[in-house]
Amino acid sequence: AQTVTQSQPEMSVQEAETVTLSCTYDTSESDYYLFWYKQPPSRQMILVIRQEAYKQQNATENRFSVNFQKAAKSFSLKISDSQLGDAAMYFCAYRSAFSGNTGKLIFGQGTTLQVKP
Amino acid sequence: DTAVSQTPKYLVTQMGNDKSIKCEQNLGHDTMYWYKQDSKKFLKIMFSYNNKELIINETVPNRFSPKSPDKAHLNLHINSLELGDSAVYFCASSQGGLTSTDTQYFGPGTRLTVL
């Protein structure tokens, strides 16, 4: 069974600085997808960024980028120029690409990010 | 327009009661999900339906019964509520299939409190 681990329960960053959130996963599959979701205090789950395992190039979305290390099974999220609105809980998630999987997301424990003005 | 909506947003009830949470999506998606987020914020899949057919049932007690009257709706009925059922329940939907573009869109969540 696949597992996702976020070893940092809490992180903090100064506004305008850069912060990196860690995520590792365990799987025996070769093809899968990885996601970062953001959950602000409003509780809404918002997709931040996604990465296909077969792509070597790291995904980027504006100030958000990932460092995907397939061999190390590591998928970290870098937030550049942090803004107060980035304060939230961030979840790393895994989804298998195999047809038998049904598309369920497997989540990590989450990392709470505090942004200091 | 709200893409994935859930009602109610908050639900407070007594132990032993039966309650339902409704979910509707207007995205034209084929697949819908229920996730449970516990008090430690851990999110876990409960059920998934594809075109009204159950495709995931993750060892959830049979007091929980999902019902999909059509592919735009997936309701969750809970019988004989227990204290441990207190959590936030999220509905989500996706187009289905296994491509990277199959993003799951989440509803606002329903906070269930069992007293």
Side-chain angles (χ1 to χ4, degrees):
Chain A
Q2 298 84 20
T3 58
V4 177
T5 302
Q6 294 177 249
S7 58
Q8 305 155 316
E10 295 179 354
M11 293 282 286
S12 66
V13 62
Q14 208 69 33
E15 197 176 3
E17 298 291 308
T18 296
V19 64
T20 298
L21 307 184
S22 300
C23 173
T24 59
Y25 57 94
D26 188 31
T27 184
S28 58
E29 297 176 335
S30 58
D31 202 10
Y32 46 85
Y33 305 104
L34 297 165
F35 305 84
W36 278 98
Y37 278 87
K38 169 185 177 181
Q39 186 178 38
S42 67
R43 170 173 100 203
Q44 181 71 51
M45 293 289 289
I46 302 163
L47 178 69
V48 175
I49 199 165
R50 59 179 168 236
Q51 173 80 43
E52 295 92 333
Y54 62 84
K55 287 187 178 178
Q56 291 189 334
Q57 187 174 6
N58 289 324
T60 62
E61 286 286 343
N62 301 314
R63 298 182 295 108
F64 298 87
S65 61
V66 298
N67 183 2
F68 174 48
Q69 302 287 329
K70 191 172 184 179
K73 296 180 183 173
S74 170
F75 181 62
S76 60
L77 174 70
K78 185 170 86 170
I79 306 174
S80 303
D81 186 24
S82 296
Q83 299 175 359
L84 295 177
D86 295 332
M89 194 155 193
Y90 286 81
F91 291 93
C92 179
Y94 172 103
R95 177 165 65 80
S96 172
F98 290 97
S99 59
N101 174 263
T102 69
K104 70 180 181 184
L105 290 171
I106 299 169
F107 286 93
Q109 304 92 323
T111 297
T112 299
L113 177 66
Q114 182 186 25
V115 180
K116 298 178 181 176
Chain B
D1 286 342
T2 303
V4 182
S5 60
Q6 293 179 230
T7 53
K9 287 198 171 67
Y10 298 92
L11 185 54
V12 181
T13 188
Q14 298 288 330
M15 219 166 39
N17 284 351
D18 303 339
K19 290 293 179 185
S20 292
I21 305 171
K22 296 185 176 181
C23 178
E24 176 181 3
Q25 55 94 2
N26 62 8
L27 298 167
H29 287 164
D30 289 337
T31 306
M32 295 184 73
Y33 310 81
W34 278 110
Y35 288 88
K36 178 180 179 180
Q37 186 173 41
D38 64 22
S39 59
K40 295 183 179 178
K41 303 285 191 178
F42 187 64
L43 274 153
K44 189 174 179 184
I45 185 77
M46 297 175 70
F47 299 104
S48 175
Y49 271 73
N50 181 267
N51 274 321
K52 303 193 297 174
E53 182 180 341
L54 180 67
I55 54 173
I56 299 176
N57 181 341
E58 286 280 312
T59 58
V60 176
N62 57 16
R63 297 182 297 103
F64 291 79
S65 53
K67 285 185 173 54
S68 182
D70 55 62
K71 74 174 192 178
H73 296 84
L74 179 61
N75 304 323
L76 183 65
H77 188 74
I78 316 169
N79 290 326
S80 304
L81 278 155
E82 300 177 357
L83 294 176
D85 298 331
S86 295
V88 179
Y89 293 84
F90 284 97
C91 178
S93 75
S94 70
Q95 184 56 49
L98 294 165
T99 66
S100 64
T101 56
D102 187 41
T103 298
Q104 292 185 24
Y105 295 89
F106 284 77
T110 295
R111 180 178 294 279
L112 171 65
T113 303
V114 182
L115 303 174

